[in-house]
Amino acid sequence: MMKMFKVLAGVLLAVFMLSGAAQAQIKVGVYLPLTGQNAFGGQLELDGVNLAYKQMGEVLGQKIDLIVMDNKSEPMEATNAVKRLIERDKVAAIIGTYGSSLALAGGEVAELAKIPVVGTSCTNPLVTQGKTYYFRACFIDPYQGAGAATYAVKSLQAKKAALLIDVSNDYAVGLGAFFKKSFTALGGEIVAELKYNSGDQDFTSQLAEINSKAPDVMFIPAYFAEGGIIMKQARELGATFRIMGGDAMDNPETVSIAGAASEGFIHTSFPYDPTMPNMNAEAKAFTEAWNAAYPDKGPNVNAALGYASYLMVIKAIEKAGSADPAAITKALAETKDLDTPLGKLTLDADHNPQMPVGIIEIKDGKRVYVGEVQPE
Amino acid sequence: MTFELFIQNFFNALTVGSLYALIAIGYTMVYGILRFINFAHGDVFMVGAYFIFFGAATFALPWPLAAVAAIVGSAALGIIVDRIAYRPLREAPRISALISAIGVSFLLENLGLVIFTGLPRPAVQPEWMVNPIILGNIRILPISFIVPLVTAVLVMGLLWLVYRTRPGLAMRAISRDIETTRLMGVSIDRIIALTFGLGSALAAAAGIMWAMRYPQIHPFMGVMPGFKAFIAAVVGGIGSIQGAVLGGVLLGTVEIMAVAFYPELSGYRDAFAFVLLIVILLFRPTGLLGEKLDDKI
């Protein structure tokens, strides 16, 4: 009886091991804000990741196992998500996230655990600065802030600018400061600098003060949730100045929340947009694949960034020739001339790609890609 | 600051203040009668805003009808919450009901997240509410007049109900001594259900007004206004309806004027509310219009 049991156990074990070997998988984690304040961008990025996953679900002859975590737009949850991906799911690499505050929180965990992460749209320099394991598919805020300031001074002929900054958000504080630095360097003057906190709904006192200073342009490095309301309240208070923002305002909801108040709003963006003229081959292919996969919603830059991030990870695993996190990290650092929907991607020493800054303007309630600017 | 800017700020303050007041009277009424902070109040406020959103956007009801439906729906929600989460704890220590309220608050927020999703949605605004009234350089939204007006009407209605009607008499009796009131033959549970129904209807009214002023709704929209209104209720003297209105208007004025006079401190706008709370409680522990600690409404 005992013998039979042993044989049975041996057979079971063999079957188990065999099936395990047949389904050898490389685990890739994804942490994105799928709920909360940043849910809109996070979900689009996840769609982009999933699209790339569908096209390239296999590498080195092994299937990719994509494990998705929601970081709920909260830094604490981002920390938890990365911890769980590393400790429980034992992922080889991680993709994420939208939002610099979230990436900064998640990055600390990944750095300690020595697991490489590719950021989708976290644009604060600190996310990768001095880090060995954090990379990204997007440009950084100093670059973007300089792009916005260059456009304000050169194309809009703005001389006086006001700032309205979310002080509880790393992204907003950073981008605001970089805009200020470039705008003054280009000969402009900052006439007002006011602040608010994430989740605020009333900006009337700040806007009344800005209005009284009559700036040519107001720069709001906000997320669209607050940004839309700020635009609306600014126009309600009779503001006539131009309003500009960063990539976090790139969202259809901006127009649906602000309505007519969003007319003429300008924001910087990554160099991909479904409306852009002169699309490169990768961008064209991505747009077509997206429209086939998600016929009921258009692609946007977040989707392209999600797609590009997955591409970076897969190519790095391929180049590394193994799912060893250290080898993937080394391969990621050497990313060069990778064809993505956002153009050819080459990472610099700080793990940041170089790309021009796209400019988008709201015209007749529609986002229009008006061109690109080289920051000065 | 120019005179024009001051007037502009004054109206901005009045709008924010009366919104806080409108939420605060719901807190204070439930507290006055049950000696219990209904922490789920801010979330009923959120549900009210969603109800009108779905009424107006999904079922295409005319706006006034959607508003009434949202208020009735929220009142029903308040009564159900009381029946399920608070009534079984009536005899338990007060802290149990308080913890239950916090539980309900999280439950509503997360249900909202599941049912409504976390994406902020633009609220439906009737056209006449959106176009500002222009007086020279001053611009005032019609809603800035509507909110104080609605608040005033609701407060008067509430005072009439509490001081001039039999259910109101029963409410006041319950706030004095729940056991004796029961012995007098008053149906305690019904009166308390009525209290929650009314409190939730007020929260929904506030939610609707809030969504008209700040046309964006999401499952956590009730958290900060709920805290602020709670502060307003405590500053005014919790349990006192007039106090809640005073506290709300005071809080709105402090927030707006602090930024207006000290623009460089605009990042600390929320902190002003809490500083105000501490300062007032240091000098008047029961709030501005609060009665002595051993006395209820």
Side-chain angles (χ1 to χ4, degrees), chain A residues 36 39-40 167 194-195 197 200-202 204-206 208-209 212 225 229 232-233 235-238 253 256-257, chain B residues 5 8-9 12 16 118-120 122 125 132 139 141 210 213-216 256 259-260 263-264 266-267 269-270:
Chain A
F40 198 94
V167 281
L194 283 101
K195 303 174 177 86
N197 285 293
D200 279 0
Q201 298 273 281
D202 187 274
T204 49
S205 50
Q206 287 96 325
E209 170 70 18
S212 71
I229 297 219
K232 207 170 163 87
Q233 288 180 13
R235 297 300 181 225
E236 280 165 4
L237 289 169
E253 295 290 310
S256 70
I257 289 167
Chain B
L5 193 55
Q8 180 73 63
N9 278 314
N12 294 345
V16 185
L119 299 183
Q125 286 176 299
R139 286 163 168 258
L141 288 176
W210 188 277
R213 180 67 190 91
Y214 310 112
Q216 185 188 51
I256 297 279
V259 175
E264 64 277 13
S266 48
R269 201 174 125 161
D270 287 342

Side-chain angles (χ1 to χ4, degrees), chain A residues 26-299:
Chain A
I26 298 176
K27 287 184 174 176
V28 173
V30 177
Y31 78 117
L32 284 169
L34 304 178
T35 55
Q37 187 197 15
N38 303 339
F40 198 94
Q43 289 188 347
L44 276 163
E45 283 172 11
L46 180 62
D47 289 338
V49 171
N50 276 329
L51 181 64
Y53 173 60
K54 247 190 268 172
Q55 295 176 349
M56 296 159 279
E58 230 172 272
V59 68
L60 307 175
Q62 287 177 305
K63 275 208 164 62
I64 296 281
D65 184 11
L66 204 62
I67 300 157
V68 180
M69 293 289 301
D70 177 10
N71 64 37
K72 298 177 187 162
S73 313
E74 283 174 30
M76 187 64 91
E77 295 287 346
T79 308
N80 291 341
V82 173
K83 266 205 179 103
R84 215 191 99 158
L85 287 171
I86 293 173
E87 284 166 13
R88 208 194 75 154
D89 299 320
K90 312 246 182 286
V91 296
I94 299 175
I95 296 169
T97 173
Y98 182 95
S100 296
S101 314
L102 305 171
L104 284 167
E108 279 181 33
V109 181
E111 194 72 12
L112 281 176
K114 303 191 158 91
I115 299 293
V117 189
V118 175
T120 44
S121 58
C122 34
T123 48
N124 191 297
L126 294 174
V127 173
T128 60
Q129 208 172 64
K131 300 274 176 73
T132 315
Y133 298 93
Y134 224 111
F135 304 85
R136 61 182 135 203
C138 54
F139 55 54
I140 54 173
D141 290 332
Y143 199 69
Q144 177 176 200
T150 306
Y151 192 79
V153 172
K154 303 280 162 160
S155 302
L156 301 177
Q157 263 82 42
K159 292 189 175 56
K160 292 190 288 179
L163 290 165
L164 182 54
I165 295 170
D166 179 351
V167 281
S168 54
N169 185 303
D170 298 340
Y171 161 81
V173 172
L175 185 54
F178 300 126
F179 177 88
K180 186 177 170 180
K181 196 173 154 204
S182 302
F183 192 79
T184 36
L186 289 164
E189 184 198 355
I190 303 288
V191 290
E193 188 175 343
L194 283 101
K195 303 174 177 86
Y196 66 93
N197 285 293
S198 299
D200 279 0
Q201 298 273 281
D202 187 274
F203 306 95
T204 49
S205 50
Q206 287 96 325
L207 289 167
E209 170 70 18
I210 288 177
N211 245 351
S212 71
K213 295 284 195 293
D216 300 317
V217 57
M218 173 171 77
F219 186 66
I220 44 169
Y223 280 88
F224 73 95
E226 285 99 3
I229 297 219
I230 290 174
M231 284 194 261
K232 207 170 163 87
Q233 288 180 13
R235 297 300 181 225
E236 280 165 4
L237 289 169
T240 51
F241 45 72
R242 276 274 192 172
I243 304 177
M244 291 182 75
D247 63 295
M249 292 294 291
D250 191 357
N251 192 304
E253 295 290 310
T254 303
V255 178
S256 70
I257 289 167
S262 64
E263 201 56 35
F265 173 69
I266 287 170
H267 65 79
T268 48
S269 174
F270 303 98
Y272 169 82
D273 193 83
T275 67
M276 76 196 289
N278 320 322
M279 224 182 242
N280 68 29
E282 281 294 317
K284 264 191 199 131
F286 164 76
T287 312
E288 277 161 21
W290 175 282
N291 287 333
Y294 310 103
D296 52 340
K297 54 180 168 183

Side-chain angles (χ1 to χ4, degrees), chain A residues 334-345:
Chain A
E334 292 162 359
T335 302
K336 193 162 184 290
D337 291 332
L338 176 67
D339 281 315
T340 75
L342 300 140
K344 276 199 192 306
L345 217 134

Side-chain angles (χ1 to χ4, degrees), chain B residues 30-56:
Chain B
V30 170
Y31 182 85
I33 288 156
L34 295 176
R35 278 284 163 130
F36 153 69
I37 311 285
N38 182 12
F39 273 110
H41 192 66
D43 303 294
V44 176
F45 160 93
M46 172 271 292
V47 171
Y50 267 100
F51 278 170
I52 192 168
F53 170 81
F54 285 116

Side-chain angles (χ1 to χ4, degrees), chain A residues 6-20:
Chain A
K6 271 186 182 162
V7 170
L8 195 67
V11 168
L12 273 176
L13 192 69
V15 167
F16 183 73
M17 281 172 69
L18 269 175
S19 66

